[in-house]
PDB file of all heavy atoms in Angstrom:
ATOM      1  N   THR A  37     120.874  90.523  86.971  1.00  0.00           N
ATOM      2  CA  THR A  37     120.063  89.448  87.534  1.00  0.00           C
ATOM      3  C   THR A  37     120.953  88.487  88.297  1.00  0.00           C
ATOM      4  O   THR A  37     122.018  88.092  87.801  1.00  0.00           O
ATOM      5  CB  THR A  37     119.308  88.693  86.425  1.00  0.00           C
ATOM      6  OG1 THR A  37     118.563  89.631  85.643  1.00  0.00           O
ATOM      7  CG2 THR A  37     118.365  87.663  87.001  1.00  0.00           C
ATOM      8  N   GLN A  38     120.504  88.108  89.497  1.00  0.00           N
ATOM      9  CA  GLN A  38     121.242  87.164  90.325  1.00  0.00           C
ATOM     10  C   GLN A  38     120.284  86.145  90.919  1.00  0.00           C
ATOM     11  O   GLN A  38     119.131  86.459  91.201  1.00  0.00           O
ATOM     12  CB  GLN A  38     121.973  87.880  91.464  1.00  0.00           C
ATOM     13  CG  GLN A  38     123.049  88.842  91.013  1.00  0.00           C
ATOM     14  CD  GLN A  38     123.730  89.540  92.183  1.00  0.00           C
ATOM     15  OE1 GLN A  38     123.096  89.848  93.180  1.00  0.00           O
ATOM     16  NE2 GLN A  38     125.022  89.773  92.057  1.00  0.00           N
ATOM     17  N   GLY A  39     120.769  84.924  91.122  1.00  0.00           N
ATOM     18  CA  GLY A  39     119.969  83.920  91.803  1.00  0.00           C
ATOM     19  C   GLY A  39     119.893  82.618  91.057  1.00  0.00           C
ATOM     20  O   GLY A  39     120.738  82.306  90.203  1.00  0.00           O
ATOM     21  N   GLY A  40     118.871  81.832  91.398  1.00  0.00           N
ATOM     22  CA  GLY A  40     118.722  80.530  90.789  1.00  0.00           C
ATOM     23  C   GLY A  40     117.353  79.940  91.047  1.00  0.00           C
ATOM     24  O   GLY A  40     116.478  80.570  91.658  1.00  0.00           O
ATOM     25  N   PHE A  41     117.176  78.681  90.608  1.00  0.00           N
ATOM     26  CA  PHE A  41     115.886  78.016  90.735  1.00  0.00           C
ATOM     27  C   PHE A  41     116.099  76.510  90.737  1.00  0.00           C
ATOM     28  O   PHE A  41     117.185  75.999  90.445  1.00  0.00           O
ATOM     29  CB  PHE A  41     114.937  78.442  89.611  1.00  0.00           C
ATOM     30  CG  PHE A  41     115.487  78.247  88.220  1.00  0.00           C
ATOM     31  CD1 PHE A  41     115.364  77.020  87.573  1.00  0.00           C
ATOM     32  CD2 PHE A  41     116.118  79.285  87.557  1.00  0.00           C
ATOM     33  CE1 PHE A  41     115.863  76.843  86.290  1.00  0.00           C
ATOM     34  CE2 PHE A  41     116.614  79.117  86.279  1.00  0.00           C
ATOM     35  CZ  PHE A  41     116.490  77.891  85.631  1.00  0.00           C
ATOM     36  N   ALA A  42     115.027  75.780  91.080  1.00  0.00           N
ATOM     37  CA  ALA A  42     115.077  74.321  91.154  1.00  0.00           C
ATOM     38  C   ALA A  42     113.667  73.793  91.365  1.00  0.00           C
ATOM     39  O   ALA A  42     112.707  74.560  91.483  1.00  0.00           O
ATOM     40  CB  ALA A  42     116.000  73.865  92.282  1.00  0.00           C
ATOM     41  N   ASN A  43     113.554  72.461  91.442  1.00  0.00           N
ATOM     42  CA  ASN A  43     112.309  71.825  91.842  1.00  0.00           C
ATOM     43  C   ASN A  43     112.328  71.422  93.312  1.00  0.00           C
ATOM     44  O   ASN A  43     111.465  70.671  93.772  1.00  0.00           O
ATOM     45  CB  ASN A  43     112.028  70.589  90.994  1.00  0.00           C
ATOM     46  CG  ASN A  43     111.623  70.926  89.578  1.00  0.00           C
ATOM     47  OD1 ASN A  43     112.026  70.264  88.641  1.00  0.00           O
ATOM     48  ND2 ASN A  43     110.818  71.976  89.391  1.00  0.00           N
ATOM     49  N   SER A  44     113.328  71.915  94.041  1.00  0.00           N
ATOM     50  CA  SER A  44     113.430  71.668  95.473  1.00  0.00           C
ATOM     51  C   SER A  44     114.037  72.897  96.130  1.00  0.00           C
ATOM     52  O   SER A  44     114.386  73.873  95.442  1.00  0.00           O
ATOM     53  CB  SER A  44     114.297  70.436  95.750  1.00  0.00           C
ATOM     54  OG  SER A  44     115.659  70.715  95.481  1.00  0.00           O
ATOM     55  N   GLN A  45     114.201  72.856  97.444  1.00  0.00           N
ATOM     56  CA  GLN A  45     114.756  73.997  98.155  1.00  0.00           C
ATOM     57  C   GLN A  45     116.252  74.172  97.913  1.00  0.00           C
ATOM     58  O   GLN A  45     116.809  75.201  98.272  1.00  0.00           O
ATOM     59  CB  GLN A  45     114.471  73.863  99.652  1.00  0.00           C
ATOM     60  CG  GLN A  45     112.991  73.981  99.990  1.00  0.00           C
ATOM     61  CD  GLN A  45     112.721  73.855 101.474  1.00  0.00           C
ATOM     62  OE1 GLN A  45     113.456  73.191 102.196  1.00  0.00           O
ATOM     63  NE2 GLN A  45     111.651  74.495 101.937  1.00  0.00           N
ATOM     64  N   GLN A  46     116.908  73.175  97.326  1.00  0.00           N
ATOM     65  CA  GLN A  46     118.335  73.269  96.988  1.00  0.00           C
ATOM     66  C   GLN A  46     118.473  73.948  95.624  1.00  0.00           C
ATOM     67  O   GLN A  46     118.517  73.297  94.587  1.00  0.00           O
ATOM     68  CB  GLN A  46     118.978  71.878  96.981  1.00  0.00           C
ATOM     69  CG  GLN A  46     118.837  71.125  98.298  1.00  0.00           C
ATOM     70  CD  GLN A  46     119.480  71.875  99.450  1.00  0.00           C
ATOM     71  OE1 GLN A  46     120.596  72.382  99.352  1.00  0.00           O
ATOM     72  NE2 GLN A  46     118.755  71.952 100.572  1.00  0.00           N
ATOM     73  N   LEU A  47     118.524  75.287  95.641  1.00  0.00           N
ATOM     74  CA  LEU A  47     118.532  76.039  94.383  1.00  0.00           C
ATOM     75  C   LEU A  47     119.861  75.896  93.652  1.00  0.00           C
ATOM     76  O   LEU A  47     120.929  75.827  94.270  1.00  0.00           O
ATOM     77  CB  LEU A  47     118.258  77.523  94.655  1.00  0.00           C
ATOM     78  CG  LEU A  47     116.955  77.883  95.367  1.00  0.00           C
ATOM     79  CD1 LEU A  47     116.811  79.398  95.461  1.00  0.00           C
ATOM     80  CD2 LEU A  47     115.756  77.263  94.672  1.00  0.00           C
ATOM     81  N   GLN A  48     119.777  75.893  92.338  1.00  0.00           N
ATOM     82  CA  GLN A  48     120.966  75.938  91.498  1.00  0.00           C
ATOM     83  C   GLN A  48     121.157  77.370  91.009  1.00  0.00           C
ATOM     84  O   GLN A  48     120.293  77.914  90.316  1.00  0.00           O
ATOM     85  CB  GLN A  48     120.823  74.991  90.303  1.00  0.00           C
ATOM     86  CG  GLN A  48     121.967  75.067  89.304  1.00  0.00           C
ATOM     87  CD  GLN A  48     123.303  74.699  89.932  1.00  0.00           C
ATOM     88  OE1 GLN A  48     123.438  73.622  90.513  1.00  0.00           O
ATOM     89  NE2 GLN A  48     124.286  75.585  89.825  1.00  0.00           N
ATOM     90  N   ASP A  49     122.269  77.994  91.372  1.00  0.00           N
ATOM     91  CA  ASP A  49     122.558  79.366  90.952  1.00  0.00           C
ATOM     92  C   ASP A  49     123.135  79.394  89.545  1.00  0.00           C
ATOM     93  O   ASP A  49     123.812  78.448  89.105  1.00  0.00           O
ATOM     94  CB  ASP A  49     123.535  80.031  91.916  1.00  0.00           C
ATOM     95  CG  ASP A  49     122.878  80.372  93.252  1.00  0.00           C
ATOM     96  OD1 ASP A  49     121.642  80.479  93.295  1.00  0.00           O
ATOM     97  OD2 ASP A  49     123.617  80.519  94.243  1.00  0.00           O
TER      98      ASP A  49
END
Side-chain angles (χ1 to χ4, degrees):
T37 306
Q38 296 179 324
F41 55 86
N43 288 140
S44 72
Q45 293 180 331
Q46 303 300 315
L47 302 184
Q48 175 61 55
D49 287 338

